Amino acid sequence: MLPDEVKMIIEEMKAERIQGASWLARKGAEAYRLLAETMEGDELKKALEEIGEEIINVNRTMASLYNLTRFIPITGNPAIVKSKAEEFIRLSEEAKREIGNIGSELIDENEVIITHSFSSAVLEILKSARRKGKGFRVILTESSPDYEGIALARELEKLDVPFEVITDAQVGLFSKRATLALVGADTITRDGALINKAGTYPLALACHDNSVPFYGAAESFKIHPELESEEVDITERSYTRQGFRIRNYLFDITPWKYIRGIITEFGVLIPPKEI
């Protein structure tokens, strides 16, 4: 039985709609750290097995949660669990900063960047480019039905980065005006496909048709060591609008052939051979 404080973190993870896989993985690591502060011995071992299943079930599509549970050993020693959880958080933060630095080098002066959904890695790239004094503007989708794009727009306002928000249906029109596409990723499969917010695949197709280089940005812990693209089980969360059921898959799959590269803390990897 998990402590109530740990259950609260997991419920917070399940309820989150805007933050992506990086945030969820760090939250999961915080849950592990809290667990280590309240249990030890055989009780801790049993709780670690339980929390591992709970974290993976938050979203089985996300490699970050799968890799987090593999990173934390099943042990009765709380000091080891706490140390590994804190190490994961530290490495995650370092990876995001390095992705920002590497990715910002892809942005030229007066670049027009198109993106979809909210990605902390993409935001870090834009922040880094801004710190380097680069001038650019961003085209971003509103990313319905949870409107993650609006959350990104608020962050860009803080950075004083010029941007315009478009409906998701207009990616075909506006990709013609872009010079670079940057998106985040919830998972990179073994065969180099990018799993991200539904609508990413149409953006990749539009960019391909208009010769706009399309890059993903993801920490290495988002690369799934076992999962192939055809094995991905995408969660559907339908909703009702004006009395009609609206089908709503949370993610889609962008094949590697439409991806110029994956920006990681280790450099830009070319799928599928370098994944």
Side-chain angles (χ1 to χ4, degrees):
M1 178 68 71
L2 297 176
D4 289 341
E5 297 91 337
V6 173
K7 289 180 180 179
M8 286 177 63
I9 293 177
I10 293 173
E11 288 305 313
E12 183 181 358
M13 292 168 66
K14 290 178 179 178
E16 178 57 44
R17 294 288 183 268
I18 304 300
Q19 304 287 350
S22 301
W23 183 89
L24 288 172
R26 283 191 291 273
K27 269 292 179 182
E30 289 175 13
Y32 273 111
R33 181 170 58 187
L34 182 58
L35 191 65
E37 293 172 353
T38 58
M39 290 181 175
E40 62 181 357
D42 289 341
E43 185 183 30
L44 176 58
K45 284 184 179 181
K46 291 179 182 178
L48 286 170
E49 292 177 355
E50 183 179 351
I51 194 176
E53 283 298 313
E54 289 286 345
I55 286 175
I56 287 176
N57 285 331
V58 167
N59 193 316
R60 302 191 74 88
T61 305
M62 292 182 175
S64 60
L65 302 182
Y66 176 85
N67 287 323
L68 169 63
T69 62
R70 289 163 58 95
F71 191 81
I72 308 294
I74 303 297
T75 173
N77 187 330
I80 293 176
V81 175
K82 184 177 181 180
S83 175
K84 293 294 285 184
E86 291 176 344
E87 181 184 0
F88 185 93
I89 294 170
R90 176 178 57 80
L91 290 174
S92 172
E93 292 171 346
E94 290 175 357
K96 189 167 69 171
R97 285 195 296 271
E98 191 58 30
I99 287 170
N101 182 50
I102 294 170
S104 64
E105 292 303 310
L106 297 174
I107 298 176
D108 294 325
E109 188 66 23
N110 298 319
E111 199 86 73
V112 181
I113 301 161
I114 190 166
T115 189
H116 177 61
S117 192
F118 182 99
S119 163
S120 59
V122 170
L123 179 59
E124 193 65 31
I125 290 171
L126 301 180
K127 285 181 177 179
S128 180
R130 195 65 167 165
R131 286 193 295 268
K132 293 176 181 179
K134 295 186 177 185
F136 58 92
R137 65 186 181 88
V138 180
I139 300 170
L140 61 150
T141 62
E142 61 180 356
S143 309
S144 66
D146 293 319
Y147 301 101
E148 296 95 329
I150 302 303
L152 177 58
R154 293 193 180 100
E155 294 297 325
L156 295 179
E157 269 191 328
K158 297 175 187 176
L159 297 173
D160 198 27
V161 170
F163 66 89
E164 54 187 338
V165 184
I166 64 174
T167 65
D168 298 357
Q170 294 184 85
V171 291
L173 292 170
F174 280 84
S175 62
K176 297 177 182 179
R177 308 180 188 183
T179 56
L180 177 68
L182 294 174
V183 299
D186 291 288
T187 294
I188 307 296
T189 63
R190 279 187 61 190
D191 52 341
L194 186 150
I195 314 300
N196 196 48
K197 164 89 174 186
T200 302
Y201 181 34
L203 175 60
L205 290 173
C207 288
H208 177 75
D209 198 42
N210 290 287
S211 300
V212 177
F214 180 96
Y215 287 87
E219 299 92 329
S220 60
F221 61 72
K222 292 181 181 177
I223 300 174
H224 204 294
E226 300 175 359
L227 194 66
E228 302 277 348
S229 56
E230 67 269 14
E231 299 170 337
V232 175
D233 183 17
I234 299 178
T235 303
E236 182 176 9
R237 186 188 296 138
S238 60
Y239 58 94
T240 301
R241 180 169 293 166
Q242 298 182 27
F244 294 98
R245 175 177 177 257
I246 309 297
R247 299 200 64 180
N248 174 42
Y249 282 97
L250 300 184
F251 306 96
D252 62 19
I253 303 170
T254 301
W256 65 264
K257 63 183 178 180
Y258 299 116
I259 304 168
R260 180 71 60 88
I262 304 295
I263 307 163
T264 76
E265 69 269 30
F266 301 121
V268 180
L269 306 183
I270 308 302
K273 61 183 179 180
E274 294 181 347
I275 298 300

